[in-house]
Amino acid sequence: MARMPLTDRRRQLTEAAIRAMTRDGVSRTTTRSIAAEAGVSLSVFHYCFDSKQALLESVIETITAHYVTLVKAAILPRPTLRETVRAGFQAYWDHVQASPGAHLLTYELTQYALRQPEFGHLARKQYESYCEAYTVLLEELRLIHPFELSVPVTVLARYLAAMTDGVTLNFLVLGDDKAAAEILDMVTDHVVGLVIEEN
């Protein structure tokens, strides 16, 4: 087996864990199955991650970072603030539609963590990371369309995190694309209504 820097090997195992958990579910995914998915020995896995907690934390961070990267790439200068905001939501939503299993995994991770007392803090960290991600995205948006918020940025970030979390779960249960699009349109209008553009 080729030698690989620890950071790269951890990334490889994290991506393998995401694939295995998406396919088999969190509770049925073992360290052995993750190692097999990555094509490495079990000893390599334990060298990279000293606990399941460390692995789950890496999985949560990686999934969240991936979504943020997708949305950041979509937040490009557009004629209006509304068009820019809606494009950001659409980038996220395109991924939900293309990879529903990956999004189902995020809910499984939350439920799993909440049911394991020693992992409860991971669920909190997961949802805090969603709010942090929206805070970052709002700052990116401000660079393109300078504005002042009529509510604290932390409040808007939490609102957006709760909204996307809810509409995603609703879609995973009901599979209604049209309803999801209508909700995203409404939330876009709401966001635009909460900002005061600078002249």
Side-chain angles (χ1 to χ4, degrees):
M1 179 180 8
R3 291 186 64 81
M4 185 183 291
L6 179 60
T7 302
D8 293 342
R9 187 66 78 188
R10 284 174 61 91
R11 186 179 305 115
Q12 177 194 25
L13 283 162
T14 298
E15 294 293 348
I18 292 170
R19 291 194 302 273
M21 290 177 182
T22 299
R23 182 184 63 241
D24 303 326
V26 176
S27 62
R28 287 180 297 193
T29 300
T30 64
T31 54
R32 191 174 297 280
S33 67
I34 293 168
E37 180 75 25
V40 302
S41 68
L42 195 55
S43 62
V44 169
F45 177 92
H46 289 299
Y47 173 73
C48 294
F49 293 102
D50 60 6
S51 67
K52 190 168 186 179
Q53 176 179 313
L55 169 68
L56 292 179
E57 190 167 339
S58 182
V59 165
I60 290 168
E61 289 173 354
T62 299
I63 290 173
T64 304
H66 181 58
Y67 298 161
V68 171
T69 300
L70 286 173
V71 176
K72 270 188 178 181
I75 299 179
L76 302 171
R78 287 177 168 79
T80 67
L81 175 64
R82 187 192 188 285
E83 289 174 273
T84 307
V85 171
R86 188 62 178 85
F89 283 134
Q90 192 60 49
Y92 169 79
W93 198 251
D94 288 344
H95 191 271
V96 173
Q97 292 177 307
S99 307
H103 290 269
L104 178 59
L105 173 59
T106 65
Y107 295 99
E108 282 192 72
L109 286 166
T110 305
Q111 294 292 325
Y112 180 85
L114 288 175
R115 288 189 177 276
Q116 311 292 325
E118 68 273 27
F119 293 158
H121 70 283
L122 291 179
R124 290 191 295 275
K125 185 170 183 179
Q126 179 184 9
Y127 274 74
E128 286 167 359
S129 74
Y130 294 164
C131 295
E132 290 165 6
Y134 269 110
T135 299
V136 169
L137 292 169
L138 286 166
E139 292 305 322
E140 290 282 327
L141 188 61
R142 276 178 156 171
L143 294 176
I144 297 170
H145 294 281
F147 58 79
E148 291 298 325
L149 289 170
S150 60
V151 296
V153 66
T154 53
V155 174
L156 182 54
R158 288 188 182 281
Y159 163 74
L160 293 174
M163 181 282 304
T164 47
D165 188 58
V167 74
T168 301
L169 183 57
N170 190 273
F171 172 75
L172 291 173
V173 173
L174 300 177
D176 192 335
D177 291 321
K178 184 173 182 292
E182 290 171 345
I183 292 170
L184 291 175
D185 283 338
M186 183 176 68
V187 174
T188 297
D189 290 337
H190 193 188
V191 171
V192 174
L194 291 174
V195 303
I196 305 168
E197 294 194 62
E198 294 181 355
N199 294 325

